[in-house]
Each structure stands twice: as structure tokens, then as C-alpha cells.
Amino acid sequence: MNERVNKLRQQSLEAKPFISAERAEFVTDFYSKNPGFISEPIRRALVFKHLMENKTVYIGDNELIVGEKGQAPKATPTYPELCCHSLKDFEILDSRKKIPFVVSPEVKKVYEEKIIPFWQGRSMRDFIFNEMTDEWKSAYEAGIFTEFMEQCAPGHTVLDDKIYKRGFLDFKTDINQSLKNLDYLNDPNAYAKKQELKAMLICCDALITFARRYSAKALELAKKESDPKRKSELNHISEICINVPANKPQNFWEALQYYWFVHLGVTTELNTWDSFCPGHLDHHLYPFYMRELKEGTLTKEEAKELLQCFWIKFNNQPAPPKVGVTAEESGTYNDFAQINLGGLNEDGSDGVNELTYLILDVIEEMRLIQPSSSIQVSKKNPDQFIKRSVKIIRTGFGQPSVFNSDLIVQELVRQGKSVVDARCGGSSGCVEVGAFGKENYNLTGYFNVPKILEITLNNGIDPRTSKKIGLETVDPKKFNSFDELFNAYKKQLNHFIDIKIRGNNVIERLYAEYMPAPFLSLLIDDCIKNGKDYHDGGARYNTSYIQGVGLGTITDSMTAIKYHVFDQKSISMDELLELLKNNFDGNERSRQMLLNKTPRYGNDNDYADSVMKDLFDVYFNAIDGRKNTKGGTYRINLLPTTVHVYFGSVIGATPDGRKAHQPLSEGVSPVQGADRHGPTAVLRSAAKMDHVRTGGTLLNQKFTPQLLKDEEGIDKLVHLIRTYFKLDGHHIQFNVVDTATLRAAKEHPEEYRDLIVRVADYSDYFCDLSEALQDEIISRTGHQAI
Amino acid sequence: MTTAFIFDIRKYSIHDGPGIRTTVFFKGCPLVCWWCHNPEGQSSSVELMYRENRCIRCYSCVDVCTQNAILVNGEKVETNVEECIVCGTCTEVCYAEAREIIGKEMSVNQVMKEIESDFPFYEESGGGVTFSGGEPLLQNEFLLSILKACKEKGIHTAVDTCGFAQWNVIDQIRDFTDLFLYDIKLINDSRHKHFTGVSNELILKNLRKLSERGNNMIIRIPIIPGINDDKETLNQIIVFISELKNIQSIDLLPYHHIGIDKYRRLHKTYLLPDAQTLSEEKISELKQIFVKSGLIVNGLFK
């Protein structure tokens, strides 16, 4: 990377995330000065306008892509209308060891005097909790599920290619056309649509104004600038900010700047869950790149520099921090903006192009946690593409993750999308799929699947609180067969899924009525055509996901009961319940039996894997196809982010030998340490699940660096990925084992029983080695890193 | 029905031939190499392995031992190897899997089931199965049956061998073996006898014959410090190899003392307690000797 990029990157890495009260103040000012008769879409549009006209305009030294959410890199705005931080929250954020945010005394003062008094008890979060039923609250407090919308607005949205072809003035033309088409005679919603469309018009102008303010700022800086090179750059930036977003971008630089303004717009309007993403950047920018290379107006190096400056912009935006219990947990700065590479073109052809490889170079050199990146692998893509990516993966920073593009198309088509919309879609945020630029696909919350078994085994009572929160099914000691237990579990699961969906359907309406997002709406088809908000079913497709967590834990727990209690009769149900109640205290031997003498998921063992398939079906049938309030449907996916830690903390000991409060398994990965037959067996097990019926699954695989040290190892990993995808696996992420992992394995051998050290044709379980050899391998791994 | 003693079946083997492979380890070897890092493959009979780190001190093994061969000595659980008849009763009650019988009698069908489960990976990667050990040729009837079974299913086969077997045994399996991974340790016969326990005459003779018959081969050379890592010894090997045909490449397997732990777990004595792992520099230096002679060399380093 050149000096400019190096400096900007360094600055981004060194800048300390801090809370900026600027947005909160502007929003509060607006709401306090504009009460009364005004439709909500218009109110929200005017809030947006107020922000865009007044928030600080910042251009850093030597920046090529401009624009920040706050006053400087790492300024993190707050969204009190969604969820208002308390002073105590700020204390936690300011002082916690992991992922801290600096909160200045000024910010605290503004909050104390102005923001908190205005929003306390009046935010969306308060509204939501007021509307939820007691049974919902009990389940929520028990840790059965989480609710994404209590602290963030629905979001999770990815853009398609529309902004590279049309400017905001073009969008205004479309909106005006929709206004003209309103039929007040026959359409009872015509007036409501008018409000929404008018709000969109206000938002279009607001973003153009925002860019013009940047233009003026660049010009002002140019005047003062003594270095002729920088002066010319600033003048150029000024011109760019006049052209975009008002008009379609004319070149590569303008295209990136345009996206960035849109990104700031979406993430300033509301705190959308999981940021906002540009999607298939390599596809979108390719026409500009090739044309300019040919015309000689852009070199490869210049394109790379612009991309790198663009990358740094993402890294400058920490994810807005949470409140309450969630703030106390470590969380992450990652706002889950994901950039997709490769995959398929609109016409179904191989989507890997020259720019794909250039962007991979950028990812490797930048090595930033944001934006995260993924490769979408189709059978049509060349192996070379995967190999290049694996070389980045082996450097061990967890990027890019690897997705099955062909399967994603199948998943989306199954959900009712057109094949073209499906190809232009992909994965976003974590692993979930959507039709980019055309869908509101909304993660509504995680669902703690193993907790359902715990409640089943306690006949409706949560043993943690002794509160009865579930159904009374059968006294667990009286189950005569595994089927009886399984049916009780199924009933219990359906009961809680119903509670979750009832809650969701209320929350969706609250957002539709009180927190419309006209700016985001104008970017997503067909909100303009329908005159409807993104939160109100305006999008072409509307999907609500409920993310199942703990597949490995529930599978192994159920399998343990089936195998030991009913098949082998090696332990009675009474004994098992007693063990769980006592957290295996004084009976480590039985725990070892459950851990080691049970068929377990992740070993290509049909006994365990068929239990997994049955559990999958129960979860799928409970959710898939049910109607949401936006004209769309509920779907499932299986991903945890980091919630498997929280969910584990609310569950006692489980029949798979897991001790109380330990983390659950994550995604569709086996329980930590349960897979003992290497990666192919894990993939075989995971592929027995019908991924096509999900909207995304997450599979993590640990890999020791020895397996990836040479070309041969890389080639074989490419084959491993290809095979998993041929078996219709959705996603796989490789975590290259580093010294920290090995140290953890040394300390907690049980969780790392699967960790195999290979030296040429010798291999052994790491945890079985003597301490001296373990230390030697740890030090050797350290040398091999990168 | 033919059976064999197998001590491990390892999936996702990536250094035992082309593509993604499953390696089947046969128990029993006619050689006892000083540096052997798979000592559980040496004896043809079953053995007891004890992994102290896994032991939860439940002493169930002590209670069930029919020979009273397991003793508790303070914190330690000790096995009297002289008394132990390796019946495996103790391993059945050892839920922590600290005690394990190494070596399992398996039928062709049982092993095939394991091999076939990774079929999609072989197809995708051009991989297959590698029979290793121990020494697979020592259980040649089984080996022949399973090689035939693999060929019937279209699975690529490799045999990793020390070459110490009657020629007719090798000749029998040749047609069903797509690739031989053939070990050479030393050319000097008296040194070979000293460090492996057998003469290399038969080994080298078989190797020449195989090469003449047109079988595909990769030559594997363990590089052992102080035993064969000097230029003179390696040159002798190079001269020998240079006269062979159908050699795809050479795998250099640098010595590593990581196997030392397994001896302890098996109650065996390690014959090279002081040998040191080779440095990266030394390995590339040695590799160059081979490369300069025009050989294609893969270093299976750490």
C-alpha cells in the first residue's frame, strides 16, 4: 500500500471509538420543535433532512473518499428514538475492557440534560416492551429468544446495481411518476402512499444537499491548500460531490463516492441492524473499471488506492453500541457490512472478473475487520478464484468467508424469488441470504433451541428461575419412548415459536406505523412503485427470519437420551435428570460416558445425524411459510454470531455432557470438540441437513496452519470446499488455528478434543501431547503465522 | 472372511498421495526403525495405550481388571505390562477414553464402509485411499481383497510400504495399486540392519523390480539426524534412485521427535531420545542435493 493509504489505515486503526451525541441532539431538537399533525413518513424525512443539512462535514487529510457518520473517524452516533442509552450504559461503555467507547463529559451532560429527559420511556424500545405480553416477556427473560428490533431498526439490507446506473434526480423522477399515478378514487391507500412518496422526495434532496456540503467543504480546503497535488485532488472531490449522488456516476471514483454517501444516508437515518452493504462490488464497478482502463483515465494502481480508501471508510464506523445487558457483554465493533465477490452474473454466467482479484488484493493488504468480505463460489467460477482467496484465509484473520452461490440461488428461488433476482442476491451480514436491492429480509432474533429441551425435561418449568414458562407436557420421568419425548419437545418448541411470532408481528407494525424509513425505502425495489415503506411491505420480497442456535448441542443431547436412556438403557431418565440437576457434580464418569460414548453430530454418523435431520424438520416446520405482516413469510436460518455464549449461560447442564452455563455449539458446527474424524466427516454430517430449505447456515472449521502451508494444502482445501458445495452446503468459514487457540486447547482440552496436529504423515491429537511438545508446537505455530 | 488388524483410519489425509485421501493404518511391521513415529504400528498384536491426561481417576479399570494388573500409586494409575493380557475389559469401562486398545480386527466390508464415506471428496480432488501402517504387505491377503474392492468401486489406491516382503506378495497387488509410496532409509546394508532390524537387500531388489514393471512410485525418505542426513549417505540414495524408472517424485520426511509421547503411552522405550528436529535451513539444504540431481522433491515439512 502507498503512503497515503498506509497513513489513513493507521489513523483508522489508532482512532479510539467514541460516542458522538450530534445525531441524538439534532433528532431530539427536531422532535421537540415539531410535534403534532405531521405524518410519520414526512416526520422521519424531515428528521433526515435536518440531519443531512446540519451534521458535521469532515474531510480528513489526504482522503479520496469522503464522509463520516460523525465528526471524525470512529465517531459513533446514537439513536435515542430507537433506544436511549442511560448514563449507566455510558459508564459501562466507557469503562469496559473489551470494545470500549469513549464517552466525554460533554456527551454525558447533553444526555443528562436533553436526550434522556426527552426520550426516556418514549423510545421504540420502550414502546415495544410496553406492547409485549407477559408470556413473551417471560420467554425473553428466560433467554428462549432475543429480539433484534428492540435496539435496532430492521435493516440487514444490501444494495443492488441501481445507484451505478441512475442518480437521485432519476429516482425523484420515478417518485413523481408514482405520485402522478395515485388513484384517489379506487385506492383507499392513495393518501398514505402520497405521504410516503413525498417523504422519499424530501430524502432525495436531503442526500444531494449533504453531498453539496461536502463539495463546498472540499472547495474551501482546496483554497487553503498549498500542496498543488492535494489542491487538485480536493477540487476534484468537490466536483465529484456535485455530480453524485444527484446524477449517475461517470467513473470509478464517483461510483465509490456515490455508494459511500448512500451508506452514510442509510446508517444515519436509522441504526439498521447490520449496517448496510454494497453487495456485489466487483460486478457493479467492473464496467467503470474496464472502460477507464481502456480509455486510460484510470490505472490499476489508482483503482486499488481508491478501493483501499473506501475500505478504510468502513473501518471508521464502529457498530453503534447496545444498551442494558447487551452493553455489558463484549460485543464487537464490527457492523457486519459485507462485500460479496464472485458468484454469478445476472445472466447466470461466471461472475469472477479482473476486479474480483484486485479487490482480493485489497482485502489482503488492508487486513481490517470492516468491511467483512465473502466469496460467493459457483461451480462456474474458476478454481483460481478460490485458491487466491484461500491464500488470504490462511493468513488467519477470518476473511473472506466462503459461500455457495449456486445453493443461494436455489434457496432464494425456493422462497419465490425470480431466478434473476436470486442471482443478483447473495449473503449478507452473517450468512443470511436475500435478493439484493429488492428485499426486506429481516433477522428477528435468535432462538435458543437447546433451552426448549431443558424446559421439556422440566415439564414447562425453567429450572434456572423455577418459573413456569412453557407448556405442561409429560412428566419427564414417565416418557415411555424417545418418540414421546420428541413429541413433547416438538409441542414445546411450537409453543415458543408462536410466542415469538406473535411478538414479531406486533413489532413489525410498530416500525411500519411509527418508524418508517423513507430514505432506505427509495433504494429498495419496489417501494417507490408501491408507494410503501420498507418497514411496511413496500419491498418486492419480505422475509422474516428466526435464527436457530445450538444445533450441535440439541442434536447431541437428544441423541444421548435416545442412545443411553432408550436404546442401550445404560442410564435411566431419573438418573439422567438427577445428573443434570446436579451439574454432574460427583459423577464425572457418567459425564464422560455422555461425552465420549454417544454417537455425536459431526462425525458422519447416521445415528446422530438422523436425529439432527429430525430436529431440523421440527424447527423448519414450526416457522417456514408462516405469514408476516408485510405480505411476506417467515423463514429459518441457523447462525449464532456470538449469542451461543449468552444462550449457554441461561441453560443448566445438558444431556450431551455439557456443563451448566457453558456456551452452546455455534451455527451448524458440531459441539466444540465432538467431531473426532476430521473435516470431511464434519462436512458430510452438516450436508445431511437440507440447506436449500434455509436462508443460511454457518459452519466454522478450525484448521491447523500445517494443513495450509503449501500449494498442495491449498489445492486440497479448494477441493474440500468444492465437495461441500457439491453436497449443497451453504457456507464455510475456516479459522486457522493460532497460538492463542492452542494455548486455550492446552487449558481446556475437552473443548478441543478434535484438534489434530499433523506433521507430515504423523498425526496426533494436540490435547494428548505432553506439555513440552504442546509448548513446542505453540511456539512453532507462532513462527508460521503469516 | 478376511480380516486385518487396523490401528487407525485417518480422513482428509493430504500428504499420502494425490488429492484428498483416507489413510488406513495396518498394524504390524517387519522393521523396527529407531525413529519410528508410529510405534503403535510395529507390533502385530493388539496393545494397550494409556493417555494419562484424559484419565479422571475413577479407578473403574482397577475394579474390572481380571489380572489385577492395574495399580493405584498415589495420583497415578499404573499398569503392570507383564501381567496385562490386553483383554480390553478396562477400556470398556473407561468412559474418559484414557485407556484404549490399539488395533482392531476389521473386515473388508467394515474398512470399505469407512473408505467409501468420503467418496465425493475423492472424486472432486482426484484422491482415494492409502494403505499404510505399520506395513500393509504384512497382511497381504486382506490387502489384496481390499485393493480389489477399491478398484471395483473406482477408488484410486496407494500403498505406503517399506518394501520388506516376498516379491510374489508385491506382484500380487501390483495391478490393483495405482501408486506405491516406497520407503528408502539407507543404502548401506549393515547400517540398515542396525537401525531398522532387517537387511535392505530384499527391499532394494523389490524396488528395482517394481520400477521395471512400470508401476507408479513416489520414493519416501525419512531424514534422520545423525543416521542418514549426511551428504554421503544421501548421495548413495540418489545414485540408487537415479537408476530407477517410473519415479514420480521424492518425498523427504524430516525427522520429528513428536512421536516420543506415543512410546510413553505404550510403555515402550524410545531409541532416539536425544535426536533433535531438523532446522528449516538444514532441510532446504538437503532438499537442494536432491533437486540438483534432477529429482522432483516434495518436502513434507512441518
Side-chain angles (χ1 to χ4, degrees), chain A residues 352-365:
Chain A
V352 173
N353 60 44
E354 287 157 56
L355 195 54
T356 312
Y357 290 102
L358 186 68
I359 295 179
L360 284 168
D361 291 345
V362 169
I363 292 166
E364 186 172 44
E365 274 186 37

Side-chain angles (χ1 to χ4, degrees), chain A residues 600-730:
Chain A
R600 298 184 78 180
Y601 169 68
N603 296 290
D604 193 13
N605 177 312
D606 281 334
Y607 189 98
D609 296 346
S610 66
V611 173
M612 178 277 288
K613 286 170 72 174
D614 290 344
L615 289 161
F616 173 87
D617 283 340
V618 168
Y619 191 66
F620 176 85
N621 291 329
I623 296 168
D624 186 80
R626 299 181 66 174
K627 303 279 173 241
N628 65 23
T629 71
K630 293 177 283 198
T633 34
Y634 282 90
R635 306 287 182 195
I636 65 159
N637 48 30
L638 298 157
L639 64 104
T641 318
T642 56
V643 83
H644 59 294
V645 177
Y646 161 66
F647 276 175
S649 74
V650 298
I651 311 182
T654 39
D656 62 339
R658 174 189 147 280
K659 284 198 168 176
H661 316 310
Q662 293 301 301
L664 305 179
S665 63
E666 42 89 49
V668 298
S669 314
V671 168
Q672 299 77 346
D675 49 317
R676 313 257 168 97
H677 292 93
T680 57
V682 173
L683 302 191
R684 290 280 288 178
S685 281
K688 287 176 196 171
M689 174 192 299
D690 192 1
H691 295 246
V692 182
R693 290 189 285 158
T694 74
T697 61
L698 177 141
L699 180 66
N700 264 319
Q701 267 289 287
K702 278 195 287 281
F703 253 65
T704 47
Q706 298 97 320
L707 285 172
L708 295 169
K709 71 178 168 55
D710 53 16
E711 287 290 323
E712 200 182 1
I714 288 169
D715 282 346
K716 289 179 184 177
L717 189 70
V718 172
H719 293 308
L720 192 75
I721 293 167
R722 287 280 198 202
T723 312
Y724 185 51
F725 287 178
K726 200 158 79 176
L727 299 171
D728 281 346
H730 175 87

Side-chain angles (χ1 to χ4, degrees), chain A residues 588-590 592-593 596-597 604 676-681 683-684 703 706-707 709-710 712-713 716-717 719-720 722-724 726-727 753 756-765 767-770 773 776-777 780 784, chain B residues 10-20 25 37-38 51 53-54 56 58 60 91-97 116-118 120-121 123-125 160 220 253 256-262 264-265 277 299-302:
Chain A
E588 180 60 18
R589 188 162 176 264
S590 295
Q592 291 293 330
M593 179 187 81
N596 298 323
K597 301 292 180 189
D604 193 13
R676 313 257 168 97
H677 292 93
T680 57
L683 302 191
R684 290 280 288 178
F703 253 65
Q706 298 97 320
L707 285 172
K709 71 178 168 55
D710 53 16
E712 200 182 1
K716 289 179 184 177
L717 189 70
H719 293 308
L720 192 75
R722 287 280 198 202
T723 312
Y724 185 51
K726 200 158 79 176
L727 299 171
R753 271 280 297 265
I756 292 173
V757 169
R758 301 186 192 222
V759 180
D761 60 342
Y762 169 88
S763 63
D764 203 353
Y765 288 104
C767 297
D768 288 340
L769 296 175
S770 70
L773 279 171
E776 186 184 320
I777 286 170
R780 211 146 41 87
Q784 282 181 339
Chain B
R10 179 74 70 213
K11 308 280 179 75
Y12 199 65
S13 280
I14 63 169
H15 290 303
D16 291 332
I20 294 173
F25 293 88
H37 57 217
N38 282 332
R51 294 181 180 86
N53 61 305
R54 293 187 186 180
I56 57 164
C58 70
S60 304
T91 63
E92 281 162 27
V93 298
C94 185
Y95 294 156
E97 299 193 323
E116 282 176 74
S117 65
D118 272 3
F121 296 94
E123 270 202 313
E124 179 64 39
S125 66
D160 183 4
R220 305 187 120 187
L253 312 171
H256 199 287
H257 63 217
I258 194 169
I260 200 164
D261 258 22
K262 287 189 182 172
R264 188 171 45 77
R265 285 180 230 149
T277 301
L300 300 186
F301 315 137
K302 58 185 176 180

Side-chain angles (χ1 to χ4, degrees), chain A residues 371-582:
Chain A
S372 66
S373 53
S374 67
I375 58 167
Q376 315 278 306
V377 174
S378 161
K379 56 181 184 283
K380 293 179 185 172
N381 298 145
D383 280 353
Q384 200 53 38
F385 166 54
I386 314 176
K387 270 176 92 162
R388 175 69 190 95
S389 308
V390 168
K391 284 185 181 166
I392 303 174
I393 290 168
R394 85 167 157 179
T395 65
F397 87 118
Q399 283 192 40
S401 51
V402 186
F403 288 88
N404 183 351
S405 198
D406 304 315
L407 183 81
I408 289 175
V409 171
Q410 282 190 64
E411 289 166 6
L412 291 171
V413 169
R414 187 197 75 85
Q415 294 179 355
K417 277 112 184 168
S418 81
V419 75
V420 171
D421 287 351
R423 284 175 189 147
C424 297
S427 61
S428 69
C430 201
V431 299
E432 53 282 3
V433 299
F436 294 174
K438 296 160 190 78
E439 182 169 15
N440 172 343
Y441 57 114
N442 199 7
L443 300 196
T444 68
Y446 298 110
F447 193 86
N448 192 344
V449 182
K451 183 83 190 169
I452 304 300
L453 176 62
E454 186 180 47
I455 288 169
T456 310
L457 291 178
N458 287 279
N459 207 5
I461 290 167
D462 179 2
R464 189 169 64 112
T465 55
S466 303
K467 259 175 81 175
K468 188 173 164 231
I469 61 166
L471 295 176
E472 246 178 71
T473 43
V474 182
D475 175 355
K477 290 173 185 169
K478 292 188 179 136
F479 287 122
N480 293 312
S481 67
F482 179 69
D483 287 348
E484 276 185 32
L485 164 73
F486 198 82
N487 282 331
Y489 161 83
K490 194 165 140 186
K491 263 189 211 156
Q492 205 71 257
L493 183 117
N494 281 308
H495 169 72
F496 284 107
I497 290 290
D498 285 352
I499 294 174
K500 171 76 178 146
I501 289 182
R502 267 185 226 119
N504 282 352
N505 287 347
V506 172
I507 295 167
E508 277 183 9
R509 293 326 298 158
L510 295 180
Y511 272 94
E513 298 291 332
Y514 301 103
M515 204 48 72
F519 180 74
L520 174 59
S521 301
L522 75 93
L523 295 163
I524 304 298
D525 301 337
D526 300 310
C527 294
I528 293 178
K529 200 171 118 195
N530 296 333
K532 259 187 156 183
D533 195 83
Y534 179 86
H535 293 168
D536 193 20
R540 187 173 302 170
Y541 309 109
N542 292 279
T543 308
S544 304
Y545 283 112
I546 302 176
Q547 308 96 258
V549 175
L551 183 86
T553 307
I554 185 69
T555 300
D556 286 358
S557 295
M558 280 287 197
T559 309
I561 296 175
K562 184 178 183 196
Y563 186 78
H564 289 294
V565 177
F566 294 106
D567 285 3
Q568 301 289 314
K569 301 191 176 12
S570 35
I571 188 169
S572 72
M573 190 57 114
D574 288 24
E575 287 167 329
L576 178 67
L577 294 172
E578 207 50 31
L579 283 174
L580 300 183
K581 201 172 124 195
N582 300 325

Side-chain angles (χ1 to χ4, degrees), chain B residues 270-285:
Chain B
Y270 191 50
L271 296 170
L272 279 178
D274 300 323
Q276 290 301 310
T277 301
L278 291 157
S279 70
E280 290 279 352
E281 295 74 33
K282 176 83 177 172
I283 294 164
S284 14
E285 191 189 308

Side-chain angles (χ1 to χ4, degrees), chain A residues 70-88:
Chain A
Q71 307 91 313
K74 302 277 174 87
T76 311
T78 53
Y79 303 77
E81 72 270 45
L82 292 178
C83 143
C84 186
H85 287 86
S86 67
L87 291 176
K88 192 183 163 223

Side-chain angles (χ1 to χ4, degrees), chain B residues 166-212:
Chain B
Q166 292 309 309
W167 170 250
N168 65 341
V169 168
I170 297 176
D171 199 31
Q172 252 177 1
I173 63 154
R174 267 194 327 115
D175 289 345
F176 309 98
T177 305
D178 296 309
L179 175 70
F180 281 93
L181 306 171
Y182 205 110
D183 286 9
I184 301 184
K185 284 109 180 174
L186 287 158
I187 299 296
N188 178 311
D189 196 27
S190 62
R191 283 174 66 74
H192 196 277
K193 274 185 198 147
H194 181 71
F195 288 112
T196 72
V198 303
S199 159
N200 66 11
E201 200 189 323
L202 183 61
I203 294 172
L204 299 179
K205 209 164 97 188
N206 284 338
L207 178 53
R208 276 201 206 93
K209 276 192 190 167
L210 259 184
S211 134
E212 279 159 20

